[in-house]
Amino acid sequence: MPHETKSDDALIDEIRACRLCAGRFAATASAHMPRPVVWFRPGARVLIVGQAPGARVHASGRPFTDPSGDRLRSWMGVDAETFYDRSRIAIVPMAFCFPGYDAKGSDLPPPPLCAATWRARVLAAIGTPQLTLLVGGAAQRWHLGTRAVSDTVFAWQNHAPAVFPLPHPSWRNTGWLKRNPWFEAEVIPALRARVKEVL
């Protein structure tokens, strides 16, 4: 496993200090300030690629500290201690900050500027993980070039065992999970086995 270097720490500090989207966030219905949630170390065996932090994660400063995180940890078959061990699991969303709410109170999408600014450097710093989880459409579009989340997840065996495309674990997708019982019957056991093997 690679050791952390001063350059790795400098990159993490640089991301945490980023204010590129301050004006964008101030103009949202939530009118919040940037707070990049940075959760990775070089050499992590598992890379989780999410969308962007939600309001609860913006408040906590830790990724997936919400019901979505509970569901994702259940899918993976890991406890919180393992999940938050940065030496083993890196969590790198498509945007490091909460994008805010629109006028209707819905989450705004991850600003593309974040990935364009930071993603290549972060992935280079992490190295090559043994397992990558692509959680939701934005992550799958970036890494696989796919569009339809359902189709991408349905074809999960085309990417496993190195990559598992997953639906977002949000409560908003509970209906999708009920309509697609094959996901919990087929994908979750394979995912848990692979996570156990890698960790």
Side-chain angles (χ1 to χ4, degrees):
M1 177 188 304
H3 294 290
E4 291 176 49
T5 66
K6 288 185 178 179
S7 63
D8 298 324
D9 289 338
L11 174 58
I12 290 168
D13 291 343
E14 196 178 342
I15 297 168
R16 285 182 176 148
C18 180
R19 297 297 179 266
L20 286 174
C21 294
R24 179 197 308 268
F25 296 161
T28 66
S30 36
H32 62 289
M33 292 295 294
R35 186 187 187 188
V37 178
V38 186
W39 206 269
F40 69 86
R41 289 288 182 266
R45 289 169 248 174
V46 177
L47 170 62
I48 298 173
V49 182
Q51 306 287 99
R56 290 188 187 187
V57 172
H58 177 74
S60 73
R62 284 166 65 96
F64 287 105
T65 50
D66 53 21
S68 294
D70 294 338
R71 179 176 269 172
L72 179 58
R73 286 183 283 276
S74 173
W75 287 352
M76 295 172 66
V78 298
D79 58 18
E81 182 180 358
T82 302
F83 187 81
Y84 290 113
D85 180 352
R86 281 177 268 202
S87 70
R88 295 196 281 177
I89 297 178
I91 303 172
V92 182
M94 294 307 302
F96 288 109
C97 289
F98 170 48
Y101 297 131
D102 64 17
K104 295 180 180 178
S106 298
D107 289 338
L108 289 165
L113 176 63
C114 188
T117 303
W118 300 113
R119 196 145 198 85
R121 291 174 64 190
V122 170
L123 295 179
I126 291 171
T128 305
Q130 296 177 51
L131 172 62
T132 299
L133 309 185
L134 302 178
V135 183
Q140 292 164 19
R141 281 191 295 276
W142 178 278
H143 287 267
L144 299 177
T146 56
R147 289 283 167 191
V149 173
S150 291
D151 292 345
T152 306
V153 176
F154 186 74
W156 66 276
Q157 289 175 314
N158 294 343
H159 310 286
V163 175
F164 275 75
L166 303 173
H168 198 281
S170 165
W171 61 269
R172 294 182 183 90
N173 280 335
T174 298
W176 185 93
L177 293 169
K178 288 180 178 176
R179 290 191 304 274
N180 294 277
W182 54 268
F183 176 76
E184 292 197 352
E186 299 173 21
V187 182
I188 295 306
L191 173 62
R192 288 177 180 165
R194 180 60 176 155
V195 170
K196 185 176 182 180
E197 178 184 13
V198 167
L199 295 181

